[in-house]
Amino acid sequence: MPLGVAAFTFGVSFGVLARGAGFDGLSATVMSATTWAGSAQFASASVLEAGGGAAAAIIAAVLLNARYGAMSLALAPSLRGSPVRRAATSLGLADETWALAAHGDGRFDPGRMVGAALVMWVGWVAGTALGSLGGDFLGDPKSLGLDAAFPALFLALLVPQLRSRPALAAAAGGSIVALVLLPVAPAGVPIIAAAAVALLGLKRPR
Amino acid sequence: MSDVWLAVLVIGMVTAAIKIAPAVWLGGRPLPDRLEGVVALLAPTLLAALVTVQTLGADGRAVLDARAAGLITAGAAVAVRAPILAVAGAAALTAALVRALA
């Protein structure tokens, strides 16, 4: 399945970059296995690498994952069974699996979502393990240009999110806020402060 | 406990809670419209901020260096829908070349 392969290569990227940010093979792999959210994992790793500390990394990751709360709410009416089964199903939430499972009319196919999730999860965790263990053999990240890989990955994650005018405006605003705060705030703060721009979403009730 | 492990454990638990709680406990009731609007904008906002900080940030300043060159290549790779590893690889290669040639 292409989804599994994509998740695998993505996981390798995370594994390699997590090493550069201070993770070891175990912590990187555990994170991929338990958090299983690419954007949040990359974001927290980058905050930690910049010296931002656990609190800033956690806040950044939680803010990035907040959208899964909304997706979970949207999924809820399509779920059946005991609370345990519903909980297990919703753990399969990810941008791609949610999109795959959507029928388009507000209903979702939980079986499809979980199936895709399992494939992706295996690829993601395996890729992370490989990337974080192989990272040892790479040498100086800067001479290999690996520090440029982080922003590139975030760009690749950002572009599919720019589906609307408000999203574009929010992205522009977030960039500006972060840039302005860079010279004056401690590591990690510019990212979290930029989140305030998302309050743009309050302006127009639908 | 190191910062890294603390972050890994807390983020893991909180993420699971975010994914599970609404589906299991709040089942059915939608978020107020305005809140939903904010939540939907969080990802693009934060990702854009991360691109900015990761490209231009260095030791508490904003600097233009090889990473920016990498970002341009990455942009081209994303535009042609290259797989994500190729996007990252293209950026890294560009930055490495720029550094080697500078």
Side-chain angles (χ1 to χ4, degrees):
Chain A
M1 275 207 82
L3 210 53
V5 173
F8 179 78
T9 57
F10 198 19
V12 171
S13 313
F14 174 70
V16 172
L17 293 175
R19 279 310 298 269
F23 286 67
D24 61 3
L26 187 62
S27 51
T29 310
V30 166
M31 186 175 210
S32 282
T34 56
T35 294
W36 189 51
S39 305
Q41 288 182 233
F42 278 106
S44 59
S46 79
V47 170
L48 285 167
E49 198 211 7
I58 291 168
I59 294 173
V62 170
L63 286 172
L64 267 167
N65 282 344
R67 66 186 186 282
Y68 292 129
M71 288 154 125
S72 177
L73 265 180
L75 180 68
S78 301
L79 294 179
R80 297 277 167 267
S82 68
V84 173
R85 180 174 159 169
R86 296 210 298 272
T89 308
S90 19
L91 278 176
L93 266 174
D95 295 329
E96 301 84 350
T97 63
W98 190 73
L100 258 177
H103 283 304
D105 58 357
R107 306 276 311 159
F108 293 84
D109 184 339
R112 230 172 155 204
M113 191 180 87
V114 171
L118 280 171
V119 172
M120 285 189 70
W121 187 81
V122 170
W124 178 242
V125 175
T128 303
L130 187 66
S132 58
L133 293 174
D136 260 342
F137 303 108
L138 280 178
D140 173 27
K142 281 222 166 130
S143 68
L144 290 172
L146 284 182
D147 57 337
F150 255 128
L153 281 159
F154 287 125
L155 185 67
L157 289 168
L158 169 66
V159 169
Q161 298 275 338
L162 300 174
R163 289 179 289 249
S164 66
R165 205 104 57 97
L168 274 167
S175 307
I176 295 170
V177 169
L179 187 58
V180 164
L181 287 176
L182 248 185
V184 298
V189 172
I191 307 290
I192 298 168
V197 170
L199 290 172
L200 278 177
L202 279 175
K203 249 180 55 178
R204 212 163 301 160
R206 274 183 278 135
Chain B
M1 181 182 292
S2 72
D3 269 351
V4 168
W5 272 109
L6 184 58
V8 170
L9 293 172
V10 174
I11 292 172
M13 290 191 294
V14 173
T15 302
I18 290 175
K19 290 181 182 176
I20 294 176
V24 175
W25 286 309
L26 308 178
R29 271 180 305 156
L31 274 179
D33 263 352
R34 309 178 107 207
L35 206 52
E36 207 174 315
V38 173
V39 170
L41 288 182
L42 274 173
T45 309
L46 286 168
L47 288 169
L50 281 159
V51 171
T52 306
V53 168
Q54 287 288 310
T55 308
L56 301 172
D59 299 323
R61 293 163 17 244
V63 292
L64 200 59
D65 60 20
R67 294 171 298 170
L71 192 68
I72 294 174
T73 317
V78 169
V80 300
R81 309 205 192 212
I84 200 154
L85 203 54
V87 174
L93 189 60
T94 307
L97 278 173
V98 168
R99 285 201 177 115
L101 298 172

